[in-house]
Amino acid sequence: MTDAVGSIDMPDAQDEAPESKKARKGGKRGKKGPLKRLALFYRQIVAELRKVVWPTRNQLTTYTTVVIIFVVIMIGLITVIDYGLSNAAKYVFG
């Protein structure tokens, strides 16, 4: 029986691993020294940081304000719940 992808009974050609290739140990990393790998890692970090879209000062101020307001609201909410539960425990256990 076949469907849009292919036959159910026969695996796709890409699913089969070629047996003629030997697995390499280390690949390209095994040929480089630790300092060269560290330098490559550093260059990759710098390249990724250049791709980042940094927020403007106005956006940063807005985001910071929203976070501080949210934290203050959560502190108030948890304080009220804690106060209520402590009074309830005092009432129940005397």
Side-chain angles (χ1 to χ4, degrees), residues 41-55:
F41 180 67
Y42 178 74
R43 283 194 306 269
Q44 289 174 345
I45 288 174
V46 170
E48 287 298 321
L49 285 175
R50 286 187 180 142
K51 295 178 188 177
V52 173
V53 178
W54 297 99

Side-chain angles (χ1 to χ4, degrees), residues 26-68:
K28 291 182 180 179
R29 288 187 196 174
K31 296 177 184 176
K32 292 183 181 178
L35 290 178
K36 287 190 177 188
R37 288 189 307 207
L38 187 62
L40 174 65
F41 180 67
Y42 178 74
R43 283 194 306 269
Q44 289 174 345
I45 288 174
V46 170
E48 287 298 321
L49 285 175
R50 286 187 180 142
K51 295 178 188 177
V52 173
V53 178
W54 297 99
T56 63
R57 183 173 292 275
N58 190 22
Q59 289 173 331
L60 190 62
T61 304
T62 303
Y63 298 157
T64 304
T65 305
V66 168
V67 168
I68 290 173

